[in-house]
Amino acid sequence: MQPIRSKRMTEGLEKAPHRSLLHALGLTREEMRRPLVGVVNSANEVVPGHIHLDTLCRAVKAGIRMAGGVPLEFPAIAVCDGLAMNHEGMRFSLPSREIIADSVEIMATAHPFDALVLIPNCDKSVPAMLMAMLRLNIPAVLLSGGPMLAGRGGEKTADLISVFEAVGRFKVGALGREDLEDMIEHACPGCGSCSGMFTANTMNCMAEAMGLALPGNGTVPAVHAERVRLAKTAGMQVMDLYAKNITPRDIVSEKAVTNAVAVDMALGGSTNTVLHLPAIFREAGLDLSLDIFDRISRKTPNLCKLSPAGVHHIEDLHLAGGIPAVMAALLKGGLLHGEALTVTGRTVAENLKDCKAANPEVIRSLDAPWSPEGGIAILRGNLAPEGAVVKQLAVLPAMMTRTVAARVYDSEEDATAAILGGRIRPGDAVVVRYEGPRGGPGMREMLTPTSAITGMGLEGDVALITDGRFSGGSRGAAIGHVSPEAAEGGPIALVRDGDRILIDIPRRKLELLLDEAELAQRRASPPARPAPSPFLRRYARQVSSAASGAMFREE
């Protein structure tokens, strides 16, 4: 067994005051001789995905005690992207990732724990805690809160995205007020991360795929007793990792990188993984470029078509075998590294022994995929020299290759007003700029305008192109992360109303159809957009390009 790290604050004459403070917590002398395990609990009464985490935290602590450890709980913040959407609050969502990671590092270093169990659930809390795990590099397990069950809208299943899109349907008269109110009340039936393959669930599945969470982490529903049992197992398993001195950087290797991206492509996950996975893997000293996503997407078939791309939800994926079944199919096809280590203490291949899909429509075979390529494509061209990201699985065939006319807006609010006001026509591209990591600041998600486009029946004829980003729930020709962003003088700042833009997703092209002489004539210094928040001003100075994960720049 490795030396007890917590002895830095519990052992020796000079640590007598420290022991006195620990006694004030109610700890006994025997407990101070045992490993102290930090339990990071992001429970709060604001985020539906986090409202039940106290229950899971108690189960984690029970597991730690059963295995001989002493759990000590501390909190972390979390932003609900749905509640923050389409107002100034969304500027704080992506920056919260860095704050959460830093706060976990602060707590686990100021109070030197021997191991950690981290309990997040929603969009930024999951990647943030994965970042912290790798940065601290002490034995650790991530346990998510699990997905929400699907709700209903009328006689059909529904989720949060159904409500966002219902706004557009109501606007054009395709949905009545009573039906809208019924959907509002029943689309989100209870606790958990929103029920489609949106960002939170994508990242919870990625934690499982890269080996930092136990099998089932991504798909066991939040309300199932199985989730509580998984929490107890996580508490016990972190003590096994402690005994064997297995740390996150022993698990996260280049092979784990490849595995995570391959599973992402097979699932058709959120485009936000292109921001989060590079930030996570950088903490392990590994680089993850946009080219890796595109290269793996080219050779990894899409096996799952979950909401918003399809009709299935995370509970359906769980009943079909979950992430282990998806990974087993990829492993059989030679698309995963089976020798990669995981928090079970076993390899990927050992974990996947005897796993197979129980429903071939939810998890298709490699011989009959939904698509021969993965869910995400990286586009480049004179409009996005450093790259742009699109969830190609959720794009209708008519928009895979299309020349569109730009309708330019310098904020999400202006673009949304134009869409809902009926000023956008078939063949247009809504270009939303100055919404990048630096220019926003904060790189807001554009779920409201993309959902309005879909709800108003324009999904097959209108694109949205932005240096901001999209929710995992967005669908259609939603092309985000255009880099360099407008605030850094990127070409998207030069677009004018009526300019023609070529979208060619199969050939990975995003071109502004203007010659270089015209572009040179338009070039000027980008306008300054000072943020009213001191925090956001600091964030804008420190944040890097979306093309490199919107991480803080190294000093």
Side-chain angles (χ1 to χ4, degrees), residues 11-25:
E11 192 172 79
L13 177 62
E14 71 279 10
K15 299 303 191 300
H18 304 62
R19 292 193 296 276
S20 184
L21 290 168
L22 292 171
H23 279 309
L25 297 177

Side-chain angles (χ1 to χ4, degrees), residues 264 270-278 290 293 376 378 389 481 546 549:
D264 187 20
S270 165
T271 53
N272 280 313
T273 56
V274 178
L275 288 176
H276 297 323
L277 291 180
L290 291 182
F293 286 91
I376 288 175
I378 306 300
V389 182
H481 304 204

Side-chain angles (χ1 to χ4, degrees), residues 132-193:
M133 290 171 70
L134 288 162
R135 188 183 302 175
L136 290 160
N137 201 37
I138 60 176
V141 175
L142 183 134
L143 173 84
S144 79
M148 186 185 293
L149 295 176
R152 66 169 179 81
E155 296 181 357
K156 297 181 179 179
T157 57
D159 52 41
L160 180 65
I161 305 310
S162 307
V163 185
F164 271 96
E165 293 179 357
V167 174
R169 292 171 59 202
F170 176 78
K171 187 71 177 178
V172 297
L175 185 70
R177 170 67 71 178
E178 187 175 335
D179 290 336
L180 174 61
E181 292 298 332
D182 181 70
M183 183 184 293
I184 290 169
E185 187 171 349
H186 296 105
C188 298
C191 66
S193 47

